[in-house]
Amino acid sequence: MSDEAKRSAAEAAVKLVQDGMSIGIGTGSTAEHFIRLLGARVADGLSVSGVPTSDRSAELCNQLGITLTNLDDTPVLDMAVDGADEFDGALNLIKGGGGALLREKIVAGAAKRFVVIADASKQVDVLGRFPLPLEIISMARQPLSRRLTDMGADVTLRLAADGAPFRTDENHWILDCAFGPTIAKPAELSQTLSSWPGVVEHGLFCAMTERVLLGSNDGVRTITL
Ligand code: 5RP
């Protein structure tokens, strides 16, 4: 999918930003377009404050002069904008391909509106083609892997480039769980996974998304429920 499609979606999201807003700022290549476009508007005089969902998004915001805040000082955000790895017809998401799902979910949950920016490659009928990321406490790796395998998932510990376990910004591990395109009841799976000891967070975002801005080379389509 072309980078242009991601950029179009990000452009549509930046148009939703108004002066004085507090914005949750996502992570990933689509969110990076959003950050760069937001930075351009800030350079033109827009006044916003952002809560970033990862250290790398925070770094980019700092480079671009976007004022950052946090959820202690700004517990309710006007809007959060982020990418997704998959979304279905009910606007349930899989997120966490970039490893930022925990902060992403906290920030999206703190926002009055959660806007997803995506290209058509992310749109699916049934979630699960993309392996579902689970952020876990390292001690729980084997018990959780067994439970997940029993549910039919193919489980892989995410590794960093040096071959060591990938560590999230909150210093946890990630299990990537390939269910196949078979997560027919995401809300149920979400509740089950959240109840397991050792799961810090999982990448299913159910009933959180207000709209998806779906970018293509021909423009942007807004998908709402
Ligand atoms: C990071 C995420 C990203 O939003 C997701 O991986 C999509 O990334 P991209 O915009 O690069 O396709 O959830 O944790």
Side-chain angles (χ1 to χ4, degrees), residues 6 27-31 82-85 95-101 104 122:
K6 293 183 177 186
T27 296
S29 58
T30 319
D82 205 343
D85 297 300
K95 284 186 53 55
L101 63 139
E104 289 174 336
K122 311 295 180 61

Side-chain angles (χ1 to χ4, degrees), residues 1-216:
M1 195 53 59
S2 82
D3 208 44
E4 194 49 43
K6 293 183 177 186
R7 190 184 148 89
S8 308
E11 264 169 1
V14 165
K15 285 185 188 150
L16 300 176
V17 178
Q18 293 170 9
D19 207 53
M21 274 187 165
S22 53
I23 307 287
I25 296 177
T27 296
S29 58
T30 319
E32 193 176 310
H33 282 298
F34 174 76
I35 297 170
R36 291 189 186 284
L37 292 161
L38 186 63
R41 282 196 64 194
V42 166
D44 284 346
L46 180 80
S47 170
V48 289
S49 57
V51 175
T53 54
S54 62
D55 292 348
R56 63 181 184 278
S57 289
E59 197 180 316
L60 184 58
C61 288
N62 282 327
Q63 284 168 17
L64 295 166
I66 299 170
T67 302
L68 296 182
T69 181
N70 56 56
L71 295 180
D72 289 331
D73 292 336
T74 316
V76 180
L77 303 171
D78 292 308
M79 180 168 76
V81 177
D82 205 343
D85 297 300
E86 282 186 354
F87 70 93
D88 68 12
L91 306 192
N92 297 310
L93 315 177
I94 287 182
K95 284 186 53 55
L101 63 139
L102 173 57
R103 291 187 187 175
E104 289 174 336
K105 197 179 279 189
I106 294 169
V107 167
K112 292 180 200 163
R113 305 171 63 188
F114 179 41
V115 174
V116 169
I117 47 179
D119 60 72
S121 69
K122 311 295 180 61
Q123 189 170 26
V124 297
D125 290 332
V126 181
L127 297 177
R129 187 183 61 203
F130 190 91
L132 176 67
L134 250 67
E135 183 155 348
I136 66 158
I137 300 292
S138 58
M139 178 191 180
R141 176 189 175 185
Q142 294 304 346
L144 288 172
S145 295
R146 286 176 71 102
R147 284 187 192 229
L148 290 156
T149 305
D150 286 349
M151 289 177 84
D154 192 1
V155 182
T156 312
L157 177 67
R158 192 178 297 186
L159 301 178
D162 64 0
F166 171 86
R167 291 202 176 263
T168 68
D169 285 344
E170 299 290 342
N171 208 25
H172 301 126
W173 286 4
I174 288 194
L175 295 179
D176 288 306
C177 309
F179 283 90
T182 55
I183 305 180
K185 295 185 175 168
E188 274 181 29
L189 181 60
S190 167
Q191 285 200 343
T192 301
L193 297 175
S194 295
S195 74
W196 288 354
V199 174
V200 180
E201 194 49 89
H202 58 75
L204 283 170
F205 286 44
C206 297
M208 297 181 80
T209 304
E210 185 224 75
R211 68 182 59 193
V212 173
L213 299 173
L214 185 63
S216 72

